[in-house]
Amino acid sequence: MQSGNLRYEYFFPMEDEETVLLIDSWQDQHALDLHHASPMMEQITQLRDKYDLHMKVERYISDASGDAALNDSFIRE
């Protein structure tokens, strides 16, 4: 695992063999920037170009406001 990486998981939808979902989480923007500048990301970019692969990115930011407790009644752990 790369420094600053908190989570890196792949998921494969059963009904769509062409799709891969990657969920990753980073300590901060600096750690993510270092990851994007890594040789591994250059290789991934080359593979995307070679095989005409497409991606969609959605960014989510953890709620650090303290209001997360308002959702507790909807979550069962």
Side-chain angles (χ1 to χ4, degrees), residues 3-70:
S3 177
N5 178 259
L6 305 175
R7 179 180 182 193
Y8 214 85
E9 297 180 73
Y10 291 94
F11 298 90
F12 303 92
M14 293 182 349
E15 62 280 344
D16 182 0
E17 62 186 40
E18 297 283 321
T19 297
V20 175
L21 170 65
L22 166 64
I23 298 177
D24 58 342
S25 180
W26 297 90
Q27 182 176 345
D28 53 28
Q29 185 62 48
H30 178 70
L32 181 57
D33 292 343
L34 289 175
H35 170 65
H36 285 158
S38 71
M40 178 189 68
M41 289 303 294
E42 176 62 32
Q43 290 176 336
I44 289 173
T45 299
Q46 291 173 2
L47 289 170
R48 281 198 325 246
D49 291 343
K50 179 178 180 178
Y51 295 105
D52 193 29
L53 302 175
H54 301 270
M55 62 186 293
K56 176 181 173 183
V57 175
E58 294 181 16
R59 177 176 257 195
Y60 298 90
I61 299 174
S62 296
D63 181 7
S65 68
D67 292 335
L70 297 174

